[in-house]
Amino acid sequence: MTHRALLVDDESPARKELRFLLQDYTDLQIIGEATNALEALELVNNLDYSVVFLDIDMPGVKGIDLARQIKERENAPAVIFITAHEEYAVDAFNVNALDYLLKPINPKRLEQALQKVFERSFTDPAGGSSNGLSNTFNSTNTLNAAYGANGAAAANAPAPAQNIPTPQQIIPASTEPLGTVTRPLEVVPAEHRGKTILLRPEEIIYIFTDKDNVFVKTHKESYLTRFTLKELEARLNPSLFFRSHRCYLVNIQRMRELIPYFNGTYSVVVDDHERSEVPVSRTQSRKLKEILGI
């Protein structure tokens, strides 16, 4: 089983460090990053995650408040707090966090936390919390065992005992390939000048990849999004968005001209501010002409 992970931290270096530490875990796939709680909540509401690695001290809505909202969801993902602050451990207990790791992250403690995520899906002891999250922090003794009596992290402390829900209490993870979630997107979260912009599909003229990044183009602006192009193709209305090329999705209603190129390829002129041209591959050109009745 592949476990889907979301990284939430307002500091890019912290997300990069965590991504580096997680790269050797083949059962875990990072399919989203968020820089604040509102962006993270939008992603959690639109994708099914197994685990959310969550910073606590972020601008605006704090990680603890986000965790409270996450735990109310049906089949809520596990929450592992990663923070530089020791004093929030009791708050983590109150929101049923699966684990609580201090920065800089100790690889051994991270391994123990991930083991809880994996066991959460496969082990079948009695008990378990009503919302699917295991009660890792279920007593003062548990907190002391994990972090030391004075609240400091114990780097090599054994993982505390936990109540893990039975298979009947867990909705099975989807067997579909990543990116093929059927729930449609009502808005597309995108980043712009330190803010998360929520774009309505009808505002989007085309979507394109540039190296490892995916951008959403509106009339005058291009916005970075954390979704992959494959995820957006699966989640946006197929009668509105057409995969014209391996690097492009284009809004059919915003097409204005179809220009033939060599070897059966085309270019579509769209009605953004720049009158941009979107490439159409030879294979997709045939499909596009069928859609347009040409």
Side-chain angles (χ1 to χ4, degrees):
M1 176 185 294
T2 299
H3 298 76
R4 300 175 175 181
L6 171 64
L7 312 186
V8 186
D9 198 306
D10 61 305
E11 297 181 353
S12 178
R15 298 196 306 273
K16 289 180 180 179
E17 178 191 8
L18 182 55
R19 183 178 282 273
F20 174 78
L21 292 172
L22 294 173
Q23 65 183 354
D24 293 330
Y25 292 91
T26 57
D27 290 340
L28 189 80
Q29 192 140 19
I30 300 169
I31 58 169
E33 292 188 15
T35 61
N36 59 63
L38 295 179
E39 180 182 349
L41 186 61
E42 181 67 31
L43 293 175
V44 169
N45 286 337
N46 283 284
L47 281 176
D48 293 323
Y49 291 98
S50 304
V51 57
V52 177
F53 294 91
L54 180 57
D55 187 24
I56 290 181
D57 190 15
M58 296 184 294
V61 180
K62 302 298 182 184
I64 290 288
D65 297 319
L66 173 60
R68 289 194 182 98
Q69 297 186 56
I70 289 176
K71 79 169 187 174
E72 299 302 325
R73 298 183 71 252
E74 183 179 3
N75 196 32
V79 171
I80 296 176
F81 284 114
I82 296 182
T83 178
H85 303 277
E86 301 173 0
E87 63 270 21
Y88 294 110
V90 174
D91 291 327
F93 158 73
N94 290 330
V95 295
N96 289 348
L98 190 67
D99 213 329
Y100 187 97
L101 307 182
L102 289 177
K103 299 176 181 178
I105 301 170
N106 181 284
K108 182 63 175 178
R109 286 287 293 116
L110 179 61
E111 181 181 355
Q112 292 169 352
L114 286 171
Q115 189 59 38
K116 298 172 192 175
V117 175
F118 302 148
E119 288 175 354
R120 188 168 175 257
S121 299
F122 295 108
T123 310
D124 185 19
S129 62
S130 60
N131 65 0
L133 289 178
S134 60
N135 263 329
T136 299
F137 302 113
N138 53 15
S139 69
T140 303
N141 290 336
T142 298
L143 287 170
N144 290 340
Y147 306 106
N150 63 355
N156 296 314
Q162 55 182 310
N163 296 322
I164 302 174
T166 65
Q168 290 76 20
Q169 294 173 302
I170 303 176
I171 298 175
S174 173
T175 56
E176 296 177 323
L178 293 178
T180 58
V181 182
T182 55
R183 190 185 307 144
L185 283 174
E186 296 182 4
V187 294
V188 176
E191 298 177 15
H192 186 65
R193 297 176 182 174
K195 298 180 180 180
T196 299
I197 308 296
L198 302 180
L199 299 171
R200 299 188 304 275
E202 58 268 23
E203 295 180 85
I204 300 171
I205 297 178
Y206 64 94
I207 305 167
F208 65 99
T209 62
D210 183 6
K211 297 180 181 178
D212 294 330
N213 296 316
V214 177
F215 294 91
V216 178
K217 181 66 169 66
T218 61
H219 185 69
K220 289 186 177 182
E221 300 285 351
S222 293
Y223 301 94
L224 175 68
T225 179
R226 295 294 181 182
F227 286 103
T228 66
L229 199 63
K230 184 177 180 180
E231 288 171 339
L232 290 172
E233 180 183 14
R235 304 286 302 283
L236 291 171
N237 186 349
S239 65
L240 186 63
F241 287 90
F242 175 70
R243 184 69 174 264
S244 66
H245 185 276
R246 64 183 179 87
C247 297
Y248 286 85
L249 272 174
V250 59
N251 186 335
I252 296 173
Q253 295 182 352
R254 308 305 291 267
M255 295 178 178
R256 291 298 175 262
E257 298 178 28
L258 188 62
I259 303 173
Y261 277 173
F262 57 91
N263 292 332
T265 62
Y266 282 80
S267 178
V268 170
V269 178
V270 295
D271 64 353
D272 62 351
H273 181 71
E274 301 84 3
R275 298 283 291 182
S276 301
E277 293 189 17
V278 174
V280 185
S281 68
R282 182 169 57 181
T283 300
Q284 296 302 92
S285 291
R286 291 193 292 268
K287 294 181 181 179
L288 181 59
K289 288 194 289 185
E290 291 176 4
I291 291 173
L292 299 177
I294 300 176

